[in-house]
Amino acid sequence: MNICGCLVHIAPDHTDAARAVMTGTQGVELHAEAEDGRFVVVVEDTADRLASDTIMDLHQIPGVISLALTYHHFEDLAETAPRPDAPSQPSSRRPMQ
């Protein structure tokens, strides 16, 4: 799982078109919008594209002034899933004497 929180600033005369492109892009969710053209956007990996590739595409939308990555979380889901056959991890505590 790869989650990227971004702040996208769009020129005021391009906000409607840019909003349409962003909402139509798989893996992109709009969470907030200010009247001055700033958008809070979350970008996630999809089955076909990495979030980083999608972010680079967002930079190319006409009217985008800037895009800043403000939050990033990555978690390998294979590592977080319980595995009953996995050996126990050694304790970090010192043995009692």
Side-chain angles (χ1 to χ4, degrees):
M1 174 175 34
N2 191 16
I3 301 171
C4 301
C6 301
L7 179 62
V8 184
H9 191 188
I10 299 168
D13 56 333
H14 287 82
T15 56
D16 292 337
R19 182 188 312 102
V21 172
M22 289 189 293
T23 58
T25 302
Q26 188 176 11
V28 175
E29 295 178 16
L30 274 60
H31 288 275
E33 178 181 346
E35 291 181 13
D36 64 356
R38 290 177 296 148
F39 290 78
V40 175
V41 178
V42 171
V43 181
E44 297 179 337
D45 286 343
T46 66
D48 300 326
R49 292 187 56 85
L50 296 173
S52 59
D53 292 333
T54 301
I55 289 170
M56 294 307 293
D57 289 347
L58 295 179
H59 278 282
Q60 303 307 313
I61 296 172
V64 170
I65 297 169
S66 66
L67 187 151
L69 179 67
T70 57
Y71 174 82
H72 182 244
H73 175 79
F74 176 78
E75 188 172 318
D76 187 354
L77 294 179
E79 291 179 9
T80 60
R83 296 185 335 218
D85 60 332
S88 298
Q89 295 296 319
S91 171
S92 62
R93 294 184 178 184
R94 293 182 184 171
M96 293 182 65
Q97 298 189 3

